[in-house]
Amino acid sequence: MQTFMISMNIASNGDAPEPQTLLELRRKVRDWSYSAESELVYHRQLWQLSGFDSYQFTLSRRGGGLPAADIRVRVSEGQVVSAHHLETGAPVITGDAIGTVEDYFWELEQALRQEGGQVRVEYHSLYGYPLSFCVSESLLGQSEHRQLA
């Protein structure tokens, strides 16, 4: 099992969504039947409405065969521009395990589509980004948990 936790420190002047836009989004959600997929769609839209394309976060990663780590990730214009270990300051080579919030939404979407996989996720109520998520792949007998808190 791998645990990922993200602590967001929004370093952007994201465009706050208009109250009417949020009301329309909430009305749409009311009409959807509840599922993990519809929850993901709603929170992804909430994140996109926030307008943040430059931000930083701390990624806490546990289990899943990767070494436990707390990593500070900086994103600018929707791209990871740097990542380093909090304890040592050593740079981290960005790859599949380190990405943007949009990358994590995509990963969650893929995991939900896979047969035999289980996904647990907790979203930020205002901005929609995933605070914590755990992806289990029963075929591999492994699970991965990330937290952005």
Side-chain angles (χ1 to χ4, degrees), residues 14-32:
D15 297 323
E18 294 290 326
Q20 187 61 31
T21 305
L22 287 175
L23 285 174
E24 289 172 23
L25 178 58
R26 288 190 179 114
R27 275 190 213 114
K28 283 182 193 177
V29 170
R30 260 195 331 243
D31 297 335
W32 295 343

Side-chain angles (χ1 to χ4, degrees), residues 45-83:
Q45 288 180 0
L46 211 53
W47 171 252
Q48 291 169 343
L49 284 171
S50 72
F52 297 117
D53 65 353
S54 296
Y55 51 91
Q56 63 185 10
F57 62 89
T58 301
L59 174 65
S60 295
R61 178 174 75 188
R62 304 291 183 263
L66 294 172
D70 292 327
I71 301 166
R72 175 61 49 91
V73 180
R74 194 165 57 90
V75 175
S76 181
E77 297 182 18
Q79 300 293 317
V80 174
V81 294
S82 70

Side-chain angles (χ1 to χ4, degrees), residues 68-138:
D70 292 327
I71 301 166
R72 175 61 49 91
V73 180
R74 194 165 57 90
V75 175
S76 181
E77 297 182 18
Q79 300 293 317
V80 174
V81 294
S82 70
H84 66 273
H85 289 277
L86 285 179
E87 288 182 12
T88 65
V92 176
I93 297 172
T94 58
D96 292 338
I98 299 173
T100 66
V101 169
E102 188 56 41
D103 292 334
Y104 295 130
F105 276 118
W106 183 86
E107 187 176 326
L108 288 166
E109 180 181 8
Q110 298 309 306
L112 287 169
R113 289 182 180 177
Q114 281 183 347
E115 247 181 84
Q118 295 179 335
V119 178
R120 290 189 322 260
V121 62
E122 181 181 339
Y123 298 99
H124 189 276
S125 61
L126 182 59
Y127 296 119
Y129 62 86
L131 288 167
S132 173
F133 60 96
C134 180
V135 177
S136 303
E137 296 180 20
S138 61

